[in-house]
């Protein structure tokens, strides 16, 4: 298998892009990536990560559409779907294609447009990530499922609602410095306490926002990258783990087994250990998921993520910074694009092109973890800087 | 209108019918074709008693259009006495009264109705016990 | 000519079950909204039951029928008829009974159909079940009287139109907790109260509902039953009548020679309201919960339009074993969560929602 490198990235700001259709967002990010670092790549295949174009833009068949509008007529292009992990799943397919030697270059674009219809439509569309027969058709929203996890977690480990404020606070602090982020405000504990409940105990400040955006990357064989440029990042691992779709089918609903599975596989593939990882772009769709991700990934003991965050360990200047560009909470969560935003942001840290206030010193390995549903699909990617 | 789904699931929705592995005895709700434990494909229908305790719960204030007229609504994961978890709405209870660990019993209630003209979907919910339950 | 009806094979109630929703609205709250509390001294009842937003005649019938089945201790497969009597069937076309039958594992070998006869739809179903089992066409039949009655906001009926009912499994007398010794039905074309197709709220004939409707029909049904069975009021230990308010059944009982003591246990209307097709039969379940073996009960319904079914029952020894197998009627009466008019109006879809 060829080793794979990322030679270019691109993104659009995460916003409510009323004026732009889904194809425009995707093409914008894709073209930015293709022309990144002053080298023009013509990809041999395109993988589009997207969850809800059919439900919300009434547009499936994104692969050919985006190839066409990117002036890449004739190029192989398909859409990959794995709920909120669609971006990571598309990236995984591109890495496969290049590693196998089937193609010499591949582009991945994660794109999502959640604001095309009313918020209610978006809510029901997002809930399709859960079990339709036994969760959503009984009236459970996606937030409700996560609230059920959070309540039990609080009960078992004895936490109060306010203890969770640290995670979104970090995300918002970092997002303030990221021009592409959706939110540019910080909040204090009092605001967190007063925030509107969506599904008790999850409030608005626990929840990543519905947003539009696209993020893209170009992958090529490492040998080719070396010839093209000295600015590239290697893909040390990209591994997928799965779990039951329905939360109540799990042996332990407050432990993300698929996070454990995919992290262990990735670390194993990369031949690394936890100490090698300098920062962690995690999937903070809700505050509780940050806790569970840190624990199941092996960075914290079970039930202790909230104790750890209070030490400052996960701050931008901490020992293991998380959500360095704002995460899902601060940057925004255009679901099918999120996995690619994480990778693009990790690449920025490793290439030292992050906004200066967010730039980490000497980061050499970054981990990005994209979660679909309430932990049913988890894709963990380990990226390493060169030089 | 998802009438085929509703009709197909009536044994689950009205009677909490799951499945039992004939080979190893493991119980499942919802029913499955293959046992996740012993991987045998010998499953038989199994009707759960409908009694259990609350494992977790949430009061929902925002939801999809189909369910928003019911807001706020309370959902719970119920641990059935057969040690299987099931997620459902709670009935006949106000939020302040809900506690993790409290005993509940399955009832059949309206899940939703398709406007004034469509079908009424019935299915399991759980309510607190009353006296001799 | 004998008018009282008795089947060839003696039959009785093998299992019974009640259901009343958990929620209540105080009559005072209704008065505050519509009459500025000027009628507090004339309120027909104290409070009435209100179904939860997720309840209807079908779900409530399932609950009551489950209770009846628990007490009957018979295999549901042996029940060959499911008849639900109600004026509030959720569907105009599609039977309530098939959902109940499916939920109780009675189907598919059964007959099922909905009964409608205003407030006597439930006892009408019982009469049919007596015939069905009494003729030996089947060993068991399930008859339910259940309603989620609606009164137009501000109308006098709004004080009383309530929700609840009861289910009965009728079977051979030798297995019965109460044997049905005889029954009688009396009908005439009397337009005292009606609801046209597609209308949400009923119309009523004001004072016409009393003398020519309620009193006339009940007087004749109960009178004929007692006369032909050679029974006097004092031969009964308990009596229960249809109870649209507190005043009517009390007045009727007195006229027919029954004491306050005989009717007090079945008189649930002050606490739960008029449960329409559920009213007389719910009163009957409250009596079955406490009556001693050997005691005799008179139960009579009234349905607008109009008619009355009257039953004479005697309690058997088996009743002692089955009472605690399901929640008793008083448990449901006591289970009371008071809601305000706004919640009630929302749940009962009195607020127009598009």
């Amino acid at each position: 298998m060829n080793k794979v490198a990322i030679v270019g990235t691109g993104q659009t700001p995460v916003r409510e892009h009323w004026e732009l259709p889904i194809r425009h967002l995707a093409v914008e990010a894709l073209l930015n990536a293709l022309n990144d670092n002053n080298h023009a790549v013509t990809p041999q295949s395109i993988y589009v990560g997207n969850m809800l174009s059919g439900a919300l833009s009434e547009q499936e068949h994104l692969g050919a559409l985006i190839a066409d509008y990117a002036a890449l007529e004739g190029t192989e292009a398909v859409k990959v779907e794995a709920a909120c992990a669609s971006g990571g799943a598309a990236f995984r397919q591109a890495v496969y294609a290049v590693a196998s030697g089937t193609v010499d270059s591949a582009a991945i674009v994660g794109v999502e447009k959640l604001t095309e219809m009313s918020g209610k439509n978006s809510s029901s569309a997002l809930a399709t990530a859960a079990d339709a027969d036994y969760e959503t058709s009984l009236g459970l929203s996606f937030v409700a499922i996560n609230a059920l996890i959070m309540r039990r977690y609080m009960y078992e480990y004895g936490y109060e609602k306010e203890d969770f404020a640290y995670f979104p606070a970090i995300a918002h602090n970092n997002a303030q410095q990221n021009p592409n982020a959706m939110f540019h405000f910080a909040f204090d504990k009092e605001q967190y306490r007063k925030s509107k409940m969506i599904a008790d105990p999850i409030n608005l400040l626990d929840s990543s926002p519905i947003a539009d955006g696209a993020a893209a990357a170009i992958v090529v064989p490492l040998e080719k990258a070396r010839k093209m440029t000295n600015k590239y990042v290697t893909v040390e691992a990209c591994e997928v783990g799965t779990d039951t779709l329905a939360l109540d089918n799990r042996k332990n609903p407050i432990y993300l087994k698929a996070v454990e599975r995919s992290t262990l596989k990735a670390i194993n593939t990369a031949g690394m250990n936890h100490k090698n990882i300098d920062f962690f772009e995690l999937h903070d769709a809700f505050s509780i998921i940050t806790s569970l991700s840190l624990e199941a990934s092996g960075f914290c003991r079970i039930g202790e993520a909230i104790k750890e965050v209070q030490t400052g360990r996960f701050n931008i200047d901490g020992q293991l910074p998380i959500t360095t560009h704002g995460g899902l909470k601060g940057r925004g969560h255009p679901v099918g694009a999120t996995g690619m935003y994480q990778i693009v942001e990790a690449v920025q840290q490793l290439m030292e092109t992050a906004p200066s206030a967010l730039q980490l010193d000497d980061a050499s390995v970054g981990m990005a973890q994209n979660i679909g549903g309430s932990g049913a699909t988890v894709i963990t990617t380990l990226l390493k800087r060169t030089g | 209108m998802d009438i085929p789904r509703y009709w197909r699931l009536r044994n689950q929705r009205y009677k909490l019918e799951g499945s039992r592995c004939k080979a190893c005895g493991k119980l499942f709700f919802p029913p499955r074709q293959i046992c996740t434990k012993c991987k045998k494909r010998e499953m038989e229908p199994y009707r759960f008693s409908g009694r259990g305790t609350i494992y977790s719960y949430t009061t929902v204030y925002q939801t999809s259009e189909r369910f928003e007229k019911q807001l706020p609504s309370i959902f719970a994961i119920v641990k059935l006495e057969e040690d299987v978890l099931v997620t459902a709405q709670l009935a006949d209870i106000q939020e302040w009264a809900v506690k993790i660990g409290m005993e509940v019993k399955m009832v059949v209630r309206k899940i939703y109705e398709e406007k004034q003209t469509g079908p009424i979907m019935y299915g399991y919910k759980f309510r607190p016990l009353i006296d001799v339950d | 000519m004998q008018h009282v009806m008795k089947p060839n094979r003696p039959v009785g109630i093998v299992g019974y079950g009640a259901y009343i929703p958990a929620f209540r609205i105080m009559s005072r709250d209704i008065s505050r909204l519509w009459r500025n509390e000027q009628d507090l001294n004339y309120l027909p009842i104290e409070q009435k039951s209100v179904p939860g937003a997720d309840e209807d005649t079908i779900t409530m019938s399932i609950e009551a029928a489950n209770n009846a089945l628990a007490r009957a201790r018979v295999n549901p497969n042996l029940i060959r008829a499911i008849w639900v009597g109600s004026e509030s069937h959720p569907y105009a076309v599609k039977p309530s009974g098939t959902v109940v039958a499916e939920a109780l594992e009675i189907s598919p070998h059964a007959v099922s159909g909905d009964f409608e006869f205003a407030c006597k739809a439930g006892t009408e179903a019982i009469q049919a079940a007596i015939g069905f089992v009494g003729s030996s066409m089947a060993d068991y039949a399930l008859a339910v009287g259940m309603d989620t009655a609606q009164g137009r906001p501000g109308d006098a009926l709004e004080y009383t139109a309530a929700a609840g009912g009861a289910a009965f499994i009728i079977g051979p007398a030798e297995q019965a907790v109460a044997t049905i010794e005889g029954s009688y039905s009396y009908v005439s074309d009397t337009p005292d109260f009606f609801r046209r197709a597609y209308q949400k709220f009923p119309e009523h004939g004001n004072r016409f509902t009393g003398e020519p409707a309620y009193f006339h029909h009940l007087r004749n049904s109960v009178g004929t039953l007692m006369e032909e069975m050679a029974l006097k009021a004092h031969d009964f230990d308990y009596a229960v009548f249809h109870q649209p308010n507190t005043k009517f059944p009390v007045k009727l009982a007195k006229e027919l020679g029954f004491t306050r003591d005989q009717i007090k246990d079945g008189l649930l209307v002050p606490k739960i309201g008029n449960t329409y097709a559920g009213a007389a039969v719910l009163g009957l379940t409250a009596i079955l919960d406490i009556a001693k073996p050997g005691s005799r009960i008179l139960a009579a319904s009234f349905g607008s339009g109009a008619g009355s079914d009257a039953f004479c029952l005697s309690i058997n020894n088996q009743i002692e074993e089955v009472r605690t197998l399901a929640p008793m009627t008083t448990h449901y009466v006591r289970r009371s969560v008071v809601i305000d008019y706004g919640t009630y109006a929302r749940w009962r879809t009195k607020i127009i929602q598009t």
Side-chain angles (χ1 to χ4, degrees):
Chain A
M1 299 283 267
N2 296 323
K3 199 149 187 184
V4 177
I6 300 173
V7 293
T9 60
Q11 62 181 311
T12 70
V14 179
R15 299 284 185 269
E16 291 175 305
H17 285 292
W18 310 114
E19 72 287 7
L20 298 177
I22 190 164
R23 67 185 77 176
H24 185 107
L25 290 167
V27 167
E28 182 77 20
L30 178 59
L31 295 180
N32 289 348
L34 290 170
N35 297 300
D36 195 18
N37 297 324
N38 300 317
H39 51 69
V41 179
T42 305
Q44 291 181 356
S45 58
I46 302 166
Y47 297 88
V48 180
N50 172 267
M51 179 182 174
L52 297 170
S53 67
L56 297 178
S57 299
E58 296 174 338
Q59 178 69 66
E60 286 293 9
H61 211 169
L62 283 189
L65 178 73
I66 289 163
D68 175 17
Y69 273 74
L72 294 165
E73 187 191 338
T75 308
E76 173 191 354
V78 292
K79 163 172 160 169
V80 180
E81 189 277 323
C84 318
S86 299
F91 183 76
R92 161 83 163 161
Q93 297 307 310
V95 170
Y96 260 150
V98 171
S100 70
T102 308
V103 297
D104 199 37
S105 61
I108 314 100
V109 56
V111 63
E112 202 72 63
K113 185 147 180 66
L114 293 175
T115 63
E116 197 75 345
M117 296 194 183
S118 82
K120 293 167 194 165
N121 290 74
S122 305
S123 296
S124 31
L126 286 165
T128 60
D131 188 315
D133 284 2
Y134 296 98
E135 291 179 331
T136 39
S137 66
L138 297 176
L140 273 144
S141 64
F142 194 57
V143 189
I145 292 167
N146 286 275
L148 290 168
I149 304 176
M150 182 165 167
R151 170 94 61 197
R152 182 72 193 189
Y153 184 94
M154 290 164 63
Y155 172 81
E156 286 204 11
Y157 303 122
Y159 291 113
E160 297 296 322
K161 162 87 190 117
E162 280 133 70
D163 296 331
F164 289 81
Y166 292 94
F167 295 122
I170 291 175
H172 273 244
N173 279 337
N174 295 349
Q176 283 194 94
Q177 309 298 329
N178 174 9
N180 288 316
M182 175 113 170
F183 292 136
H184 294 113
F185 66 88
F187 60 86
D188 59 26
K189 263 205 164 163
E190 190 56 24
Q191 285 165 292
Y192 180 81
R193 204 179 357 253
K194 288 180 179 167
S195 175
K196 187 167 80 170
M197 274 301 170
I198 298 177
D200 195 8
I202 291 181
N203 67 26
L204 199 60
L205 285 173
D206 287 309
S207 313
S208 53
I210 281 175
D212 307 332
I218 312 301
V219 289
V220 298
L222 177 60
E223 291 312 313
K224 179 173 171 160
R226 284 194 178 127
K227 285 175 201 152
M228 284 171 64
T229 173
N230 57 1
K231 293 188 79 177
Y232 59 88
V233 163
T234 57
V235 180
E236 297 296 311
C238 178
E239 298 290 352
V240 183
T242 65
D243 199 352
T244 66
L245 214 61
L247 182 66
D248 57 22
N249 280 197
R250 294 181 191 162
K251 263 197 201 98
N252 179 3
I254 58 169
Y255 185 76
L256 298 181
K257 193 73 187 168
V259 164
E260 180 196 291
R261 288 179 178 130
S262 108
T263 306
L264 289 180
K265 267 163 98 177
I267 285 179
N268 192 39
T269 300
M272 295 180 177
N273 60 49
H274 283 87
K275 290 201 180 89
N276 297 124
I277 296 160
D278 296 306
F279 65 97
F280 184 13
E281 297 300 344
L282 52 71
H283 192 97
D284 56 329
F286 302 97
S287 304
I288 177 65
I289 298 301
T290 308
S291 284
L292 297 190
S293 297
L294 286 165
E295 291 167 12
S297 289
F299 292 107
C300 301
R301 279 207 290 253
I302 291 169
E304 295 198 349
I306 286 174
K307 286 180 191 144
E308 295 268 337
V309 69
Q310 298 182 39
T311 67
R313 180 181 169 202
F314 306 124
N315 292 352
I316 194 75
D317 56 355
Q319 184 205 339
L320 181 73
I322 59 170
T323 57
T324 68
H325 285 62
L328 281 63
K329 178 70 197 85
R331 171 237 301 127
H333 183 29
V335 286
T338 288
M340 286 310 298
Y341 273 100
Q342 293 176 316
I343 284 169
V344 168
E345 289 158 1
V347 168
Q348 287 184 329
Q349 288 292 5
L350 297 169
M351 288 190 180
E352 302 199 331
T353 55
S356 59
L358 301 174
Q359 182 63 56
L360 305 174
D361 294 334
D362 302 323
S364 82
V365 175
M367 177 160 130
Q369 189 171 72
N370 194 194
I371 301 182
S374 43
T377 301
V378 180
I379 300 160
T380 304
T381 304
L382 285 168
L383 301 174
K384 191 175 176 187
R385 76 188 293 171
T386 51
Chain B
M1 270 195 229
D2 49 355
I3 286 179
R5 185 211 307 268
Y6 171 63
W7 175 80
R8 189 170 62 237
L9 294 176
R10 64 196 185 284
N11 286 334
Q12 284 71 49
R13 295 267 171 101
Y14 296 175
K15 294 182 272 190
L16 220 55
E17 185 182 291
S19 58
R20 181 183 171 277
C21 174
K22 285 189 196 171
C24 76
K26 191 169 167 63
L27 299 176
F28 296 93
F29 189 87
R32 287 175 182 256
Q33 290 148 284
I34 176 167
C35 177
T36 57
K37 189 174 164 198
C38 73
K39 316 289 179 188
K40 295 264 175 32
R41 288 178 62 177
E42 296 159 34
M43 303 296 255
E44 60 185 358
Y46 180 89
R47 188 174 176 177
F48 288 85
S49 73
R51 287 166 183 277
T53 53
I54 292 181
Y55 172 86
S56 189
Y57 65 95
T58 175
T59 308
V60 177
Y61 298 98
Q62 268 183 38
T63 190
S64 59
E65 202 155 11
R66 181 178 259 182
F67 293 100
E68 68 180 355
K69 290 203 178 80
Q70 302 179 16
L71 295 178
S73 37
I74 308 174
F75 285 89
I77 299 178
V78 172
K79 185 171 202 162
L80 299 172
E81 62 182 358
E82 296 89 349
D83 204 25
V84 167
L85 299 179
V86 59
T87 310
Q89 202 174 330
L90 296 183
D92 300 346
I93 193 161
Q94 286 162 318
E95 192 196 7
W96 56 264
V98 187
K99 299 263 181 307
I100 287 180
M102 84 185 279
E103 287 184 80
V104 289
K105 191 180 173 193
M106 178 236 178
V107 288
V108 175
R109 293 291 170 91
K110 283 197 280 187
I111 302 290
Y112 64 89
E113 15 191 329
E114 286 284 346
K115 308 216 162 65
Q116 296 277 300
T117 52
I120 305 167
M121 309 299 188
Y122 298 96
Y124 53 83
K125 294 189 182 182
F126 287 81
R127 65 151 167 80
L129 301 191
I130 41 179
D131 292 17
V132 299
D133 263 346
Chain C
M1 183 186 157
Q2 173 88 8
H3 297 293
V4 164
M5 300 180 285
K6 292 182 182 180
N8 289 335
R9 165 162 83 153
V11 303
I13 295 169
V14 172
Y16 68 95
Y19 185 75
I20 304 165
F23 305 98
R24 306 284 181 272
I25 182 165
M26 307 300 293
S27 297
R28 172 189 284 268
D29 285 348
I30 298 174
S31 170
R32 184 174 303 141
L33 197 78
W34 295 105
R35 290 188 178 76
N36 208 16
E37 299 191 25
Q38 289 306 300
D39 56 350
L40 289 190
N41 293 329
Y42 313 97
L43 295 178
I45 56 172
E46 295 164 41
Q47 57 178 30
K48 68 168 184 173
S49 63
V50 179
D54 60 0
E55 295 189 282
D56 63 18
T57 289
I58 287 178
T59 66
M60 292 163 54
S61 295
I62 292 171
E63 305 235 17
N66 262 321
N67 290 339
L69 190 62
R71 288 198 175 102
R73 298 174 291 180
V74 299
N75 183 339
N77 288 326
L78 300 175
I79 298 170
R80 302 296 302 280
I82 310 96
W83 288 316
V84 179
S86 180
E87 68 107 272
S88 47
H89 291 288
Y91 288 93
V93 178
K94 186 185 181 306
S96 299
T98 52
V99 186
V100 180
E102 195 80 46
L104 267 71
E105 293 189 316
I106 293 171
S107 55
H109 307 292
V111 297
S112 182
D114 293 344
F115 280 84
E116 188 284 307
F117 195 149
C119 298
K120 90 171 186 81
T123 51
E124 191 80 35
I126 293 175
Q127 288 287 37
I130 293 170
F132 204 56
V133 177
S135 69
S136 294
M137 276 178 76
D139 281 337
Y140 303 99
L142 172 64
V144 184
M146 190 64 68
D147 256 313
T148 58
Q150 285 269 36
R152 180 174 284 114
D155 189 288
L157 282 176
E158 195 186 18
Y159 284 118
T160 54
F168 299 89
I169 294 171
I170 305 297
E174 59 272 20
Q175 296 168 29
V177 297
T179 301
I180 298 165
E181 297 184 317
S183 65
Y184 172 70
S185 295
Y186 181 95
V187 295
S188 78
D189 178 4
T190 308
D192 58 313
F193 169 99
F194 49 84
R195 176 163 62 84
R196 293 282 300 274
Y198 309 113
Q199 296 304 300
K200 185 167 180 176
F201 301 112
E203 301 293 329
H204 56 111
N206 294 318
R207 291 174 57 76
F208 204 63
T209 60
E211 193 43 52
Y214 182 88
F215 291 103
H216 174 77
H217 290 81
L218 273 160
R219 196 179 287 134
N220 275 286
S221 68
V222 174
T224 305
L225 184 78
M226 285 169 56
E227 188 188 325
E228 293 194 4
M229 294 187 72
L231 293 167
K232 303 273 184 234
H234 62 75
D235 293 321
F236 292 92
D237 299 279
Y238 302 93
V240 56
F241 304 108
H242 178 55
Q243 35 201 278
N245 50 44
T246 313
K247 195 168 88 183
F248 278 22
V250 170
K251 186 175 168 204
L252 179 79
K254 194 172 175 190
E255 180 191 319
L256 293 173
F258 291 92
T259 65
R260 187 84 198 199
D261 248 20
Q262 284 168 294
I263 63 163
K264 70 176 192 315
D265 295 301
L267 194 64
L268 307 178
V269 65
K271 295 289 181 198
I272 62 166
N274 177 8
T275 55
Y276 284 54
V281 289
L282 254 179
L284 175 58
T285 63
I287 293 169
L288 291 173
D289 278 343
I290 53 164
K292 293 207 162 45
S295 47
R296 183 176 279 138
I297 305 168
L298 176 82
S301 65
F302 168 74
S304 292
S308 172
D309 301 313
F311 303 85
C312 174
L313 303 105
S314 63
I315 302 293
N316 301 331
N317 292 330
Q318 290 98 311
I319 199 138
E320 309 274 15
E321 303 160 29
V322 306
R323 275 179 185 142
T324 54
L325 297 178
M328 294 196 198
T329 306
T330 50
H331 293 142
Y332 285 113
V333 172
R334 282 206 303 265
R335 181 178 77 140
S336 157
V337 178
V338 176
I339 57 173
D340 58 17
Y341 194 93
T343 306
Y344 156 80
R346 182 184 163 193
W347 286 358
R348 299 304 286 142
T349 62
K350 290 171 193 289
I351 297 171
I352 294 169
Q353 296 190 338
T354 52

